[in-house]
Amino acid sequence: MTDPTQIDGDVYVSPRYLAGLSGHADCSFDPVAHWPHYHLDAGPCQLVIASPDHRIKIGWFGDDYDIWQVSAAADAVSQAWWTARINQNTPPEIVHGLTSALATEWDENSVSFLRTPSPSWADAIRPLLDAGWERKPLTRGVLEIVSPDGLAGASIDIVSSGPHAEPVTLWAGPPGWGTRTEVIFSARTPKHLIAATAAAFADPTPVARYRDDLDPQLAKLAHLTPVQPPRPATPTPLDLHRATAARPAPALGTRSASRGSTTTLPPAPAGPPPPARHR
């Protein structure tokens, strides 16, 4: 569970696919934070994070439209077997779904992130169907799955072929430079990796954003809930008992106090003055 004292935002955005890119926190690289990082001084790609054997590469193009570009290859120098392009409107929490799956699957002997055991496109979008997204009739070779609010979906071109085709697009938001989220997968992307990304789309958990960072058009479409500061926890009877037991006992006076007394006794009164001497 997220620590409420570490929330980076003043509103929760739901559904999360309308939250856009956060201007303050980027969790997309968290699952691969332990992989080697390469900061580039020149060119549009500003950062490359690679698996230790360089078979998986995640490029960050911070000033471009497709700001994440992910690829996997048979070895460090071979051409990419599959690619994913993710644009600048995509919430990092959705990218996290893909990078988390890659970080979990990678090891020196793994090839599961290169091959898919399933020939069915249904397996790629299974999380969307399980979440109640509607499958539309096939139109001109394109299969559409749309969210209940009509603001997100998956488009699968089952006709295009060839290793460089990009038949799968996960999308959200209305068309436009600042509003449309797109994650585009090439033909040989393993279905379970597409499904991991789709599951992040369908995740009902809202995400935190600062209201001023939201595109106004997305803000009108999304449900915004103010982030409330955490309330102090109400002490339980056990908490009160422990607090009382931990208090130091008050100091007693020089005279003995009766059992159960918690106050210091007053000093004893002075006796009568001695008799005066007569000469």
Side-chain angles (χ1 to χ4, degrees):
M1 181 179 293
T2 302
D3 183 349
T5 64
Q6 301 298 320
I7 296 172
D8 201 352
D10 54 18
V11 292
Y12 288 115
V13 183
S14 180
R16 57 169 44 196
Y17 48 70
L18 296 178
L21 184 65
S22 173
H24 299 268
D26 186 345
C27 64
S28 61
F29 295 124
D30 287 354
V32 293
H34 57 293
W35 285 4
H37 289 44
Y38 302 94
H39 296 271
L40 308 180
D41 296 330
C45 184
Q46 302 172 15
L47 171 68
V48 174
I49 298 178
S51 59
D53 59 6
H54 286 213
R55 288 189 294 161
I56 298 173
K57 296 181 178 69
I58 304 167
W60 168 257
F61 297 71
D63 298 323
D64 210 339
Y65 182 69
D66 294 324
I67 59 174
W68 291 275
Q69 296 190 28
V70 185
S71 65
D75 54 59
V77 296
S78 294
Q79 185 177 8
W81 182 255
W82 64 264
T83 61
R85 298 187 292 113
I86 306 170
N87 79 351
Q88 94 284 6
N89 297 320
T90 305
E93 293 83 357
I94 289 177
V95 185
H96 183 281
L98 176 57
T99 57
S100 179
L102 290 171
T104 299
E105 291 192 27
W106 177 85
D107 64 40
E108 294 178 350
N109 300 313
S110 174
V111 295
S112 63
F113 57 84
L114 292 172
R115 302 287 188 269
T116 179
S118 171
S120 173
W121 283 113
D123 290 336
I125 44 84
R126 178 60 57 191
L128 306 182
L129 298 175
D130 291 344
W133 292 30
E134 182 181 359
R135 179 172 177 168
K136 301 292 186 179
L138 186 67
T139 304
R140 296 181 179 179
V142 177
L143 177 65
E144 292 279 356
I145 295 88
V146 181
S147 61
D149 61 8
L151 297 175
S155 299
I156 303 176
D157 185 345
I158 62 175
V159 176
S160 297
S161 61
H164 302 297
E166 295 179 322
V168 181
T169 298
L170 302 177
W171 60 269
W177 174 267
T179 55
R180 188 75 160 191
T181 284
E182 287 186 340
V183 182
I184 303 174
F185 296 96
S186 66
R188 294 186 294 196
T189 307
K191 306 296 191 301
H192 64 283
L193 294 179
I194 300 175
T197 314
F201 264 84
D203 189 335
T205 307
V207 296
R209 292 290 187 272
Y210 287 98
R211 186 186 294 267
D212 291 344
D213 291 338
L214 295 173
D215 181 276
Q217 192 173 354
L218 292 179
K220 291 180 181 179
L221 296 172
H223 180 68
L224 307 182
T225 305
V227 173
Q228 300 292 339
R231 295 181 179 179
T234 303
T236 65
L238 180 59
D239 293 331
L240 295 175
H241 174 75
R242 289 173 176 171
T244 302
R247 294 175 184 170
L252 298 177
T254 55
R255 296 181 61 189
S256 298
S258 60
R259 288 185 180 271
S261 174
T262 59
T263 58
T264 302
L265 296 177
R277 293 183 179 181
H278 298 282
R279 292 183 179 180

